Amino acid sequence: MAGFHIKQIVLLLLLVCCAHAHTHIRNLIIDGKTLERGKCIRPYESNFNFPVKGVDNEQIVCRTTSMSASSTDMCDVKAGSTMTIEFHEEEDSGSRAIEGKHYGPCIAYLSKMTSDGQPSGWFKIFEQGYDSSSKKWCIDTLNANDGKLDIEIPGDIEDGDYLLRGEIIALHLAEKKGGAEFYNNCVQLTISGGSGTATPELVQIPGVYAEDDPGIYFNLYDGYKSYSIPGPKVYKAGSVAAVNPKAPGNGETDSSSSAGGEDDNGGEDDNGGEDDKEPTTSSSSRKGNGSPPDDDANPSPTDDDDSKSSSPAASTKPTSSPKPPCTRPRRRRRNVDARRRIAEL
């Protein structure tokens, strides 16, 4: 009976410990003003500070079942400005951000919001992971800063209604697949004042993470020296131009710069059309991508130096392909000379 009571006490202590290890976005700071808890944040669930487990869990979007925009206020933010999201374990703003051993990255995404309050596609605007020089994680910075995380809103995105998704990924159980814990909430923002020219590359959530991503499936207890933050690269204002599907590099060739084009003289220049010089092609450009280099380019060392000169292959292999006789330019020049003599008569 005594053993049974001890097990109950241990279980209770574990539950208390784990409950105090959780976190949520409690409030925002916009234009220097601290907003009340939950203002412009999608509604919390009853277990508001519990993590989401599993990268394909629908709760990984905003950690709420209420995805209607009408149930949440909109907060006005200027493009190019910096706002602050505040993480806390409890409803009280005096509580710490998260338990100090729940190491992991802090990430923020933006998505244009559809008319029914759904995200249309996400792009990353902030990330902070592990600093190998200081051996500090983002949550170390977060706890030292009373849970405050500054997020810069890109200055070149379109005006409109957005969801900002703030996230902490805790890795203390991530040495096993499916063990990472996601603490995420979504904030409703009306962003204005941007140039509106940016078209950041979008990702889908769920979908952006996989259980075996190096930043999701990670062993904190195996002497790590670095860490790779999961997800796409951070979008910075001006880093992506508006997509032109016909621009060179986007799958089509710009006709104005394509090789083999003719000029207004039918392909001939003032000196009879073609240049007398014949284009040359290097051995490397003649090969397809991924072809191995020529053996002669990096010869293998041998013990017998005479083998280099006495090898039949070495003595007979040409160093370059002979050029064909250049007869066409001469014929064209003779035609030009004939036309000049006729003109003189």
Side-chain angles (χ1 to χ4, degrees), residues 9-21:
I9 293 172
V10 171
L11 179 60
L12 180 61
L13 290 174
L14 286 173
L15 289 174
V16 171
C17 170
C18 292
H20 283 279

Side-chain angles (χ1 to χ4, degrees), residues 156-168:
D156 58 354
I157 59 177
E158 294 180 318
D159 292 350
D161 294 338
Y162 284 81
L163 284 172
L164 184 150
R165 178 182 177 275
E167 173 180 57
I168 292 174

Side-chain angles (χ1 to χ4, degrees), residues 100-154:
K101 298 299 182 182
H102 280 30
Y103 296 130
C106 310
I107 304 172
Y109 293 85
L110 271 181
S111 172
K112 283 292 288 290
M113 197 163 59
T114 63
S115 58
D116 60 351
Q118 302 298 311
S120 58
W122 302 91
F123 56 99
K124 187 189 287 185
I125 61 171
F126 176 89
E127 65 179 20
Q128 184 179 334
Y130 176 71
D131 185 343
S132 58
S133 60
S134 66
K135 295 180 171 54
K136 298 291 186 181
W137 286 86
C138 177
I139 68 155
D140 294 316
T141 305
L142 205 60
N143 277 323
N145 199 32
D146 297 325
K148 297 178 178 67
L149 192 67
D150 291 337
I151 306 294
E152 182 180 353
I153 305 299

Side-chain angles (χ1 to χ4, degrees), residues 196-336:
T197 59
T199 56
E201 186 174 345
L202 304 179
V203 298
Q204 298 301 315
I205 301 174
V208 68
Y209 300 143
E211 291 291 4
D212 58 356
D213 283 347
I216 303 293
Y217 178 40
F218 184 82
N219 193 342
L220 282 173
Y221 317 105
D222 194 27
Y224 61 91
K225 294 183 179 179
S226 62
Y227 172 77
S228 177
I229 300 175
K233 293 181 179 180
V234 172
Y235 174 75
K236 294 292 185 181
S239 62
V240 176
V243 176
N244 176 6
K246 291 186 179 294
N250 286 326
E252 296 190 21
T253 303
D254 187 350
S255 60
S256 64
S257 61
S258 60
E262 296 183 347
D263 58 19
D264 293 337
N265 296 321
E268 298 185 8
D269 59 18
D270 293 337
N271 294 322
E274 298 180 0
D275 195 317
D276 288 348
K277 291 183 67 177
E278 183 174 319
T280 59
T281 306
S282 67
S283 60
S284 60
S285 65
R286 287 195 299 269
K287 296 181 179 181
N289 291 335
S291 299
D294 287 335
D295 292 340
D296 291 346
N298 295 292
S300 301
T302 61
D303 295 332
D304 185 5
D305 291 338
D306 292 338
S307 64
K308 297 178 183 178
S309 57
S310 62
S311 169
S315 60
T316 60
K317 184 177 181 179
T319 58
S320 61
S321 302
K323 297 181 179 179
C326 184
T327 58
R328 186 179 177 187
R330 295 176 183 174
R331 183 166 58 251
R332 186 167 286 125
R333 285 199 296 272
R334 286 198 296 269
N335 292 339
V336 171

